[in-house]
Amino acid sequence: MPRRHRQHHRIQRRRLEEGLRAQREVQGLVGAQAPGAEEEGAAAFSSTVTPGTLEEAAAAAPPSPPQSPQGASSSPTGLASNPMCHSNEGSSNQEEEGPSTSQDLADPASVMQDTLEEKMSDLIHFLLLKYRIKELITKEEMLNTVIKDYQDHFPEIFREASDCMQVVFGVDVKEVDPTSQSYILVTSVGLTYYEELNDAQRFPKAGLLIIILGLIYLEGDCAQEEVIWDALGAMGVHAGMEHYIYGEPRKLITQDWVQEGNLEYRQLPNSDPACNEFLWGPRAHAETSKLKVLEYVAKVSGCDPRSFPFLYEEALRDEEEEA
């Protein structure tokens, strides 16, 4: 690899790892929810909404930090620049600095920001429930069930929640009927990845798969296993350690996704000691593209895909050849 390419490669890896660390913080929005809250919500949302269900779920989660009023109206391109997606930093800082003053508690901007973050968290839970039971979702439903008295802020809450659904869970919120303003939840980057969500597995795992496909592309279309685990460690995913979203990741990555054709896992020839590497599987090649995966990686990294110039040019060439 030429020196210039190696320098860009290091920068790209660093950007992505920063995005993955931010993603770990965002996962606290859903991971901190009480285990039974989502099941109670699912039963309510699938038929008649019970008042107070979402408020109870929000009460079970840790408080969100106050943010500047400008943060709510920003248009983030990734988790690292998304103020509404951070859930734990503020509470820990507050403990270190001592109790808040009465002036801080009375600050209207902070109170409003806290409320908008809570509404975004509620909406993420609602979208996850709809994804789990495979139902369309309408704007009217979201307004009446989640947003309620804060309908003027719906565009920003919906945008931030949709971004978090995409970069954390690999799920896109797509409009299917502009007239009724209804939406469907589908796997990102064109994958037909299917997972049956249930009481034991409550969260989608597709986001992790797309991150791994992106790492493979960043590494030159094949990535050594050690490189993959080092990068995933930034988001709290470690081989042999149970993760509250992904379960035991080693089996998921080296067996399940390999059997499904999403990944290829093989031993490096003539390696001593023996080491393994990952490549895209035939299903990934058939269903998505380097450009789509690179755009996803760029969003997680909080930058434009053209910030990965060599990879972006290669991805564009592949698109042109396939057209």
Side-chain angles (χ1 to χ4, degrees):
M1 182 185 293
R3 182 179 178 183
R4 185 183 176 195
H5 286 214
R6 288 199 301 269
Q7 291 174 338
H8 278 281
H9 176 73
R10 286 194 294 269
I11 293 171
Q12 292 158 0
R13 278 286 306 277
R14 189 160 56 246
R15 282 175 177 161
L16 178 56
E17 287 176 2
E18 288 172 358
L20 294 178
R21 280 190 287 272
Q23 188 181 88
R24 184 178 185 177
E25 296 174 9
V26 177
Q27 291 172 357
L29 284 169
V30 291
Q33 183 177 342
E38 188 173 271
E39 284 70 20
E40 294 171 7
F45 289 136
S46 62
S47 53
T48 304
V49 176
T50 303
T53 300
L54 287 170
E55 288 78 5
E56 291 166 5
S64 302
Q67 301 284 349
S68 62
Q70 290 84 359
S73 60
S74 65
S75 179
T77 56
L79 294 176
S81 60
N82 190 338
M84 292 181 72
C85 282
H86 294 275
S87 61
N88 296 322
E89 289 179 323
S91 59
S92 61
N93 290 340
Q94 187 176 7
E95 290 174 4
E96 294 173 4
E97 296 170 3
S100 301
T101 64
S102 58
Q103 183 179 1
D104 291 336
L105 293 175
D107 179 17
S110 294
V111 172
M112 176 56 72
Q113 186 64 30
D114 284 347
T115 302
L116 295 182
E117 290 177 355
E118 183 178 288
K119 289 296 179 183
M120 187 200 70
S121 178
D122 289 345
L123 185 53
I124 290 173
H125 291 311
F126 190 31
L127 293 171
L128 285 169
L129 291 171
K130 286 294 186 177
Y131 180 76
R132 174 177 171 176
I133 60 181
K134 300 175 177 59
E135 284 187 1
L136 289 175
I137 185 170
T138 65
K139 179 180 178 180
E140 182 180 10
E141 242 184 323
M142 290 184 276
L143 291 174
N144 294 337
T145 305
V146 182
I147 308 302
K148 297 181 180 179
D149 296 332
Y150 297 89
Q151 299 193 9
D152 290 345
H153 297 276
F154 174 75
E156 66 209 61
I157 295 171
F158 180 65
R159 182 183 65 244
E160 304 285 2
S162 298
D163 281 350
C164 287
M165 286 290 294
Q166 183 181 54
V167 296
V168 174
F169 299 111
V171 174
D172 290 343
V173 184
K174 290 191 173 183
E175 187 174 47
V176 292
D177 187 349
T179 304
S180 64
Q181 294 182 293
S182 57
Y183 302 83
I184 190 172
L185 300 163
V186 297
T187 309
S188 301
V189 306
L191 294 175
T192 59
Y193 179 72
Y194 175 79
E195 50 190 335
E196 186 68 42
L197 300 184
N198 49 45
D199 292 349
Q201 180 187 327
R202 297 184 293 131
F203 302 116
K205 301 177 181 178
L208 181 64
L209 172 59
I210 302 169
I211 289 295
I212 293 173
L213 293 175
L215 284 166
I216 293 169
Y217 183 39
L218 260 62
E219 291 295 317
D221 296 331
C222 62
Q224 291 189 23
E225 183 173 10
E226 181 182 2
V227 172
I228 295 292
W229 289 117
D230 284 348
L232 296 185
M235 58 188 291
V237 177
H238 303 280
M241 292 181 60
E242 192 77 12
H243 191 276
Y244 63 90
I245 291 178
Y246 309 119
E248 202 295 287
R250 178 181 288 280
K251 179 180 180 297
L252 177 68
I253 295 170
T254 64
Q255 295 182 36
D256 297 347
W257 286 343
V258 172
Q259 292 171 2
E260 294 169 7
N262 291 303
L263 297 174
E264 182 180 344
Y265 181 61
R266 68 186 186 188
Q267 183 174 331
L268 274 169
N270 304 319
S271 57
D272 185 21
C275 60
N276 299 310
E277 65 179 359
F278 287 96
L279 299 88
W280 284 26
R283 184 173 175 180
H285 278 292
E287 294 182 351
T288 189
S289 68
K290 292 178 178 179
L291 184 59
K292 290 178 182 178
V293 170
L294 184 62
E295 288 171 342
Y296 186 95
V297 167
K299 189 164 188 175
V300 172
S301 304
C303 63
D304 189 276
R306 285 167 291 193
S307 300
F308 303 81
F310 303 110
L311 297 176
Y312 185 66
E313 290 172 9
E314 179 186 339
L316 285 178
R317 286 196 300 270
D318 282 5
E319 292 284 314
E320 292 171 359
E321 291 173 3
E322 293 175 3

